[in-house]
Amino acid sequence: MTLPGIDAHSPSSSQQSVPASKQRRDALRILGLSRISRSRCFRTALQAPLLLVSLLMVAHAFGGPQWAPKNLATLLTWVHFRGLVVLALLFAGNLFCMACPFVLVRDLARRLHPPRWKWPKVLRNKWPAVFLFATVLFSYELFDLWSNPLGTGVLIVLYFVAIVVVDISFERATFCKYVCPVGQFNFLSSLLSPWEVAVRDPDTCANCRTKECILGTTAPRPEPSVDFQPLPILQRGCELGLYLPRKSGNMDCTFCLDCAAACPHDNIGILSQMPAEHLTTSGVRSGIGAPERRRDLAALSVLFCFGAILNAFAMIQPVYALESYVATWLHWNVEWPILTLLFLFGLVIIPAVMLGTTASVCKALTHSPLHLSDIVCSYARSLVPMGFGIWLAHYGFHFFTGILTVIPVTQAAVASTFGAAYLGRPAWQLGGLPERVVYVLELGFLGLGFIGSCLVVHGISHQVSQQLAAKMGAPWYALQVLLLLSAWWIMSQPMEMRGTFLGG
Amino acid sequence: MTPRSPRRKRTVHRHGTILVLAVAIVVQGGCQTPPQKPATAGVTVTFNPLPLSVGDAQVTVTLTDESQAVSGATVEVEGNMNHAGMKPTFATLTEVAPGSYRGTLSFTMAGDWFVLVNVVEANGKRWTHSIEVPGVRVP
């Protein structure tokens, strides 16, 4: 990206803007996990409980009651999992990917069938994930997954099947980096997290010649040897292609800590970072390239933000009125074409108009010679904090209003399974925080997202040109205000949980 | 890869077995859904006022068995939203006429609901019947 005034080697480039490691706190050392996190069992110990929970959810989805509020699959997936993921991302980092149960199954499958192929070059970008992310959002509405235990169970099983099929075929963490929609959600959100996996002392890396953090640790080559076959990997390095000394931010980082385990100098930790800091910096970074030049990343950011609005909009009354109106107007009586139209407007046409208009104003104010799409590409990342704020508000609503409902549902599941109420009679009176309290939290999350986005706009504009920063940023601030007002209006509407758009 | 010790292999196998057993128990046990309405039983559920909106609504359940009114039963209705994570509401109904039971159920949020009618007949027979209550409106 060559916006006027930008200098790829300016002091604001990503590497130099990261605070010195001496000033950064290390979560692994604070928690006393520095040594144990390098053990092979560390991640497995996190994954195994989640795998057990996942299997129990699948079992309950297929064998339990087919009522969403009474089924662990729907309850844990759509209320607790989503809520905990966004809160973990807000307060810590990409903890779900760290403990991902799908990866544990993938690792087991790879022992039986090691991958042989490389992911095709044409697909080494975020476009497949953009498509799949949109597909998941669409399927969620079309199949009413929030009210569909069987559908939720099928989705979980499909996820296991997909990661196994992709990753026993293709080398490295192909599924995580290029396919997984949940992963992409976590990657973008973790740019707002206060912690990142990073190098403790850059000077140590400067003297390192073996680069285990990305290449992994191999068995020693027997001496004398003329065999140049690859040696077996004892500890893999970063499978997502992030070379730690040049890594910047959490994009594409699963927090797997393979790099930390492989580093012979114990020089990798989970260090504090300023949330959203890496959204404001430009320049090439390992495994990512220059984010401000990548249209696939820009598209992912736009989908992340407008998908959040659409997903929340689909839970309030006006969407049903709109759908009924469209259905009557077009004489359609099936849901999928109407939903397709809604998604086309919500995820393509409206974002294109809003971003195109904003970029046009920006171009006119600054007399920039750049193409509109380049300006959009540069500023698209400023949508990420606002999008995250909306996801937080939406998922936070479900999580906080239903946080305790897991207790009676588990009690009922145990009573049904064993024929005896070992955990007591289901306490159905347990719910969560009152909606009026949660509404205040929602507004707080939206406010955080808005402030974050404005700061990113400010950072990008000042990076481009100190003189033109105010003019360049003005239309983008206005866009953030518009997004904030839209989200605030949606969150202020009474939530209306429906699966029957057409009243059927 | 380094070879695994027999002890570690045994531990892995033991944990795997526990995992499979736990899942099998839940699958088997989870199938024990509440007994459904007998084929000969008839259930009619009516609400007042209509259309339903957020707030209290009078619910009347009429029970029949082979066209005969079912008297002396204990009838409880449970309102649930179709989205997970919502607290159910309950109402215990009182018999106002032979086979006709009435009470007040609270709809706490707009949207799609389903109501479970839990019946314990005078002879001790228990069963549950589910009905969809779509489109509860904002008042």
Side-chain angles (χ1 to χ4, degrees):
Chain A
M1 191 67 215
T2 51
L3 284 167
I6 193 166
D7 176 4
H9 304 289
S10 70
S12 57
S13 70
S14 60
Q15 291 302 305
Q16 285 150 339
S17 65
V18 175
S21 59
K22 284 174 190 167
Q23 299 164 344
R24 303 170 75 183
R25 298 172 71 83
D26 186 340
L28 292 178
R29 286 190 171 153
I30 292 169
L31 298 171
L33 295 173
S34 192
R35 191 171 169 192
I36 197 171
S37 67
R38 305 181 73 215
S39 147
R40 272 189 194 176
C41 303
F42 178 70
R43 197 181 186 199
T44 310
L46 298 174
Q47 291 169 314
L50 278 194
L51 177 62
L52 177 62
V53 172
S54 305
L55 293 176
L56 293 175
M57 285 161 65
V58 170
H60 214 224
F62 289 101
Q66 292 302 304
W67 298 311
K70 294 180 179 294
N71 193 291
L72 285 171
T74 36
L75 181 66
L76 291 178
T77 304
W78 305 122
V79 177
H80 293 82
F81 164 74
R82 295 195 307 186
L84 288 170
V85 163
V86 291
L87 288 174
L89 286 161
L90 177 67
F91 292 113
N94 195 354
L95 300 187
F96 174 74
C97 286
M98 179 189 248
C100 178
F102 305 120
V103 171
L104 181 59
V105 173
R106 176 208 69 169
D107 287 344
L108 294 172
R110 274 186 167 179
R111 289 185 181 197
L112 302 173
H113 190 286
R116 280 179 289 181
W117 301 317
K118 292 188 190 307
W119 187 245
K121 271 190 181 169
V122 71
L123 295 176
R124 286 182 205 170
N125 50 56
K126 297 294 184 190
W127 290 115
V130 167
F131 173 75
L132 285 169
F133 193 171
T135 304
V136 167
L137 292 178
F138 184 80
S139 306
Y140 178 75
E141 304 297 344
L142 183 64
F143 300 114
D144 306 325
L145 290 176
W146 67 85
S147 64
N148 185 346
L150 195 62
T152 304
V154 168
L155 182 69
I156 299 170
V157 171
L158 281 179
Y159 232 99
F160 276 111
V161 171
I163 189 170
V164 167
V165 168
V166 170
D167 278 2
I168 63 169
S169 306
F170 300 102
E171 293 173 347
R172 306 180 74 80
T174 297
F175 186 84
C176 302
K177 192 173 174 92
Y178 300 116
V179 180
C180 180
V182 177
Q184 311 312 314
F185 180 95
N186 293 346
F187 294 154
L188 282 179
S189 303
S190 61
L191 293 168
L192 286 310
S193 298
W195 301 93
E196 67 163 331
V197 176
V199 162
R200 286 175 177 143
D201 177 15
D203 292 340
T204 305
C205 295
N207 299 320
C208 178
R209 297 285 171 268
T210 44
K211 305 182 191 330
E212 284 92 345
C213 62
I214 192 160
L215 297 174
T217 313
T218 54
R221 190 176 291 281
E223 294 287 348
S225 171
V226 289
D227 180 10
F228 291 103
Q229 289 296 312
L231 292 165
I233 298 284
L234 293 180
Q235 168 60 53
R236 64 191 176 207
C238 181
E239 288 208 307
L240 290 104
L242 303 174
Y243 176 47
L244 261 289
R246 290 185 201 148
K247 173 178 178 283
S248 177
N250 282 329
M251 192 65 201
D252 281 5
C253 179
T254 60
F255 273 53
C256 66
L257 296 180
D258 280 342
C259 53
C263 176
H265 310 290
D266 190 15
N267 192 37
I268 295 167
I270 298 180
L271 306 188
S272 57
Q273 66 165 355
M274 180 61 73
E277 176 188 8
H278 297 284
L279 283 168
T280 63
T281 54
S282 302
V284 175
R285 56 198 72 182
S286 180
I288 310 292
E292 67 277 12
R293 289 180 206 159
R294 285 186 54 177
R295 295 184 182 215
D296 56 336
L297 276 181
L300 189 61
S301 303
V302 172
L303 174 63
F304 180 77
C305 182
F306 284 86
I309 295 175
L310 188 61
N311 194 245
F313 181 59
M315 300 296 281
I316 58 172
Q317 199 279 333
V319 80
Y320 306 111
L322 177 66
E323 289 233 345
S324 296
Y325 175 77
V326 172
T328 309
W329 184 46
L330 296 173
H331 304 291
W332 288 349
N333 56 4
V334 282
E335 189 178 349
W336 72 263
I338 300 168
L339 209 54
T340 305
L341 212 55
L342 188 71
F343 268 69
L344 192 65
F345 268 90
L347 297 184
V348 181
I349 296 172
I350 291 174
V353 169
M354 288 177 82
L355 294 170
T357 307
T358 309
S360 300
V361 175
C362 179
K363 186 179 164 79
L365 286 175
T366 57
H367 307 292
S368 168
L370 288 172
H371 193 271
L372 288 184
S373 62
D374 292 332
I375 298 174
V376 169
C377 212
S378 187
Y379 275 94
R381 54 206 153 122
S382 68
L383 298 171
V384 174
M386 192 67 245
F388 186 54
I390 300 169
W391 286 116
L392 263 171
H394 182 185
Y395 289 177
F397 170 84
H398 292 299
F399 179 69
F400 288 117
T401 55
I403 187 169
L404 298 178
T405 52
V406 68
I407 296 171
V409 175
T410 307
Q411 289 171 318
V414 167
S416 165
T417 301
F418 298 102
Y422 291 123
L423 297 181
R425 292 178 63 80
W428 293 114
Q429 75 277 12
L430 295 176
L433 291 174
E435 280 177 50
R436 63 180 183 281
V437 175
V438 177
Y439 179 64
V440 177
L441 288 175
E442 288 179 79
L443 294 186
F445 290 142
L446 292 182
L448 271 181
F450 175 72
I451 292 167
S453 278
C454 287
L455 289 174
V456 174
V457 169
H458 176 85
I460 295 171
S461 303
H462 276 263
Q463 201 176 63
V464 173
S465 164
Q466 294 284 346
Q467 290 78 26
L468 294 174
K471 282 185 178 176
M472 288 204 79
W476 297 97
Y477 292 124
L479 175 69
Q480 299 300 341
V481 171
L482 203 57
L483 292 173
L484 175 70
L485 291 176
S486 309
W488 173 74
W489 175 76
I490 290 171
M491 298 302 162
S492 303
Q493 298 297 308
M495 191 70 90
E496 186 163 332
M497 296 173 177
R498 288 178 65 170
T500 47
F501 277 129
L502 301 176
Chain B
M1 304 295 282
T2 49
R4 290 176 167 242
S5 69
R7 189 177 163 190
R8 193 167 169 197
K9 267 186 181 174
R10 276 201 301 277
T11 310
V12 169
H13 287 162
R14 198 181 306 140
H15 289 174
T17 310
I18 291 168
L19 202 69
V20 170
L21 274 176
V23 173
I25 286 169
V26 172
V27 171
Q28 183 273 331
C31 292
Q32 295 171 9
T33 47
Q36 296 301 297
K37 176 175 76 72
T40 55
V43 183
T44 310
V45 183
T46 54
F47 295 98
N48 186 37
L50 289 175
L52 282 172
S53 60
V54 174
D56 289 348
Q58 189 184 72
V59 54
T60 306
V61 174
T62 308
L63 300 180
T64 57
D65 192 5
E66 294 179 337
S67 303
Q68 299 294 311
V70 176
S71 289
T74 303
V75 181
E76 184 192 67
V77 290
E78 176 185 340
N80 286 277
M81 294 216 71
N82 70 351
H83 196 296
M86 302 304 294
K87 193 166 71 170
T89 60
F90 293 89
T92 303
L93 310 190
T94 49
E95 191 167 7
V96 292
S100 184
Y101 302 81
R102 188 170 294 161
T104 303
L105 187 66
S106 187
F107 292 98
T108 51
M109 187 181 278
D112 289 348
W113 287 69
F114 64 91
V115 169
L116 300 177
V117 181
N118 299 310
V119 177
V120 184
E121 293 183 17
N123 59 10
K125 194 159 80 175
R126 291 170 178 268
W127 49 269
T128 296
H129 180 62
S130 164
I131 61 155
E132 302 287 328
V133 185
V136 173
R137 299 175 179 188
V138 179

